[in-house]
Short mmCIF file of all heavy atoms in Angstrom, two decimals:
data_model
loop_
_atom_site.label_atom_id
_atom_site.label_comp_id
_atom_site.label_asym_id
_atom_site.label_seq_id
_atom_site.Cartn_x
_atom_site.Cartn_y
_atom_site.Cartn_z
N ASN B 54 108.19 80.39 112.37
CA ASN B 54 107.02 79.54 112.56
C ASN B 54 105.98 80.29 113.36
O ASN B 54 106.06 80.37 114.58
CB ASN B 54 107.42 78.25 113.27
CG ASN B 54 106.20 77.44 113.66
OD1 ASN B 54 105.14 77.59 113.08
ND2 ASN B 54 106.37 76.59 114.65
N PHE B 55 105.00 80.81 112.65
CA PHE B 55 103.99 81.62 113.32
C PHE B 55 103.08 80.79 114.20
O PHE B 55 102.39 81.33 115.06
CB PHE B 55 103.18 82.40 112.28
CG PHE B 55 102.93 83.79 112.73
CD1 PHE B 55 103.90 84.76 112.60
CD2 PHE B 55 101.73 84.13 113.32
CE1 PHE B 55 103.68 86.03 113.06
CE2 PHE B 55 101.50 85.40 113.78
CZ PHE B 55 102.48 86.35 113.64
N ALA B 56 103.06 79.48 113.97
CA ALA B 56 102.17 78.60 114.75
C ALA B 56 102.81 78.20 116.08
O ALA B 56 102.22 77.42 116.83
CB ALA B 56 101.80 77.38 113.94
N HIS B 57 104.01 78.70 116.36
CA HIS B 57 104.74 78.28 117.54
C HIS B 57 103.94 78.48 118.82
O HIS B 57 103.87 77.60 119.68
CB HIS B 57 106.05 79.06 117.61
CG HIS B 57 107.11 78.39 118.45
ND1 HIS B 57 107.70 77.22 118.08
CD2 HIS B 57 107.67 78.75 119.62
CE1 HIS B 57 108.58 76.88 118.99
NE2 HIS B 57 108.58 77.79 119.94
N GLY B 58 103.31 79.66 118.94
CA GLY B 58 102.53 79.95 120.14
C GLY B 58 101.32 79.04 120.27
O GLY B 58 101.02 78.53 121.36
N ALA B 59 100.64 78.82 119.15
CA ALA B 59 99.45 77.95 119.18
C ALA B 59 99.85 76.52 119.51
O ALA B 59 99.12 75.81 120.21
CB ALA B 59 98.73 78.01 117.84
N MET B 60 101.03 76.09 119.03
CA MET B 60 101.49 74.74 119.34
C MET B 60 101.80 74.61 120.82
O MET B 60 101.56 73.56 121.43
CB MET B 60 102.72 74.38 118.49
CG MET B 60 102.37 74.08 117.04
SD MET B 60 103.78 74.16 115.90
CE MET B 60 104.74 72.77 116.44
N LEU B 61 102.33 75.70 121.42
CA LEU B 61 102.57 75.68 122.86
C LEU B 61 101.25 75.56 123.62
O LEU B 61 101.14 74.80 124.58
CB LEU B 61 103.32 76.95 123.29
CG LEU B 61 103.53 77.09 124.80
CD1 LEU B 61 104.52 76.06 125.32
CD2 LEU B 61 104.01 78.48 125.18
N THR B 62 100.26 76.33 123.16
CA THR B 62 98.95 76.26 123.80
C THR B 62 98.39 74.84 123.73
O THR B 62 97.87 74.31 124.73
CB THR B 62 97.96 77.22 123.12
OG1 THR B 62 98.61 78.45 122.90
CG2 THR B 62 96.73 77.44 123.98
N LEU B 63 98.53 74.22 122.56
CA LEU B 63 98.08 72.84 122.39
C LEU B 63 98.77 71.93 123.40
O LEU B 63 98.14 71.10 124.05
CB LEU B 63 98.37 72.38 120.95
CG LEU B 63 97.95 70.96 120.61
CD1 LEU B 63 96.43 70.86 120.52
CD2 LEU B 63 98.56 70.50 119.28
N ALA B 64 100.08 72.11 123.54
CA ALA B 64 100.84 71.29 124.47
C ALA B 64 100.38 71.51 125.91
O ALA B 64 100.27 70.57 126.69
CB ALA B 64 102.33 71.59 124.34
N MET B 65 100.08 72.77 126.23
CA MET B 65 99.63 73.06 127.59
C MET B 65 98.28 72.39 127.87
O MET B 65 98.05 71.88 128.97
CB MET B 65 99.57 74.58 127.82
CG MET B 65 100.96 75.21 127.93
SD MET B 65 100.96 77.01 127.92
CE MET B 65 100.59 77.35 129.65
N PHE B 66 97.39 72.41 126.87
CA PHE B 66 96.11 71.72 127.05
C PHE B 66 96.33 70.22 127.14
O PHE B 66 95.61 69.53 127.87
CB PHE B 66 95.14 72.07 125.92
CG PHE B 66 94.32 73.30 126.20
CD1 PHE B 66 94.53 74.46 125.50
CD2 PHE B 66 93.36 73.28 127.19
CE1 PHE B 66 93.80 75.59 125.77
CE2 PHE B 66 92.60 74.41 127.48
CZ PHE B 66 92.83 75.58 126.77
#
Side-chain angles (χ1 to χ4, degrees):
Chain B
N54 171 23
F55 221 80
H57 202 67
M60 285 163 68
L61 176 69
T62 316
L63 180 71
M65 288 170 82
F66 271 110

